[in-house]
Amino acid sequence: MKTILLTGFEPFLDYPVNPTMRVAEELDGTMIGDYKICSRILPVDFNRAEARLMGVIREVNPDVTVSLGLAGGRYKITPERVAINVKDGAPDNDGNHPIDEPINEDAPDAYFSTLPVRDMVNALIEAGLPAEVSNTAGTYLCNNVMFGGLHYAATERPGMRSGFIHVPASHELGIRHGRIPSWSHEDLLRGVRVCLETIVSGK
Ligand code: PCA
């Protein structure tokens, strides 16, 4: 049996819930084709998120790593094409506040996702869900985790595919936040499933 490591993030900044946490937790232990989903929640912390991801990869030994993050304000599900070697942004949950720093001075400037981003978008649209390829995962924790996963794959685990999918807010978050577009939890869950099914279909 093969394994997909699926990660979500804890709440952060002015988002009191993170829909990726619930999606990841609900898919934990389920099967997509021959692949078992193993879910973990990552901290929104520049000093801990990447190390936690590496630790989980070593523990779970996945064939594929798919990380999910909230992109508050986006209208669509957006598989990310590229991660860049930069960390910058608002203070994280532990108060770390890097400005224009490299994630890893010894690593390349950027990595492309090794997930089938275009096929995932096509499959989402086919399933009636708004989607587009995103060309920036930002410079905050989501980019950091995507970059870390791809660098780890490139240097330590050449067989592991890895990448990142940003999702819009859930209605629960939309109600509590007040000023962002939102989707039903059921549609977010369905969208992530469609992405995972596309990945395991070998596209
Ligand atoms: N989204 C943030 C970090 C955690 C999350 O869910 C981001 O886009 O970087």
Side-chain angles (χ1 to χ4, degrees), residues 111-124:
Y111 282 105
F112 286 119
S113 175
T114 49
L115 302 182
V117 290
R118 179 63 60 194
D119 292 322
M120 289 193 280
V121 165
N122 289 343
L124 285 162

Side-chain angles (χ1 to χ4, degrees), residues 8-10 12 18 20 44 68-72 137 139-143 164 166:
F9 271 111
E10 64 183 12
F12 64 106
N18 194 325
T20 66
V44 177
L68 305 174
L70 165 69
T139 53
Y140 200 50
L141 264 302
C142 291
N143 173 72
F164 200 95
H166 262 125

Side-chain angles (χ1 to χ4, degrees), residues 16 21-23 25 31 44 54 63 87 157 177 189:
M21 204 166 145
R22 189 168 162 203
V23 168
E25 283 171 356
M31 297 293 297
V44 177
M54 304 310 134
D63 300 279
K87 51 181 174 177
R157 287 183 175 251
H177 188 275
L189 190 66

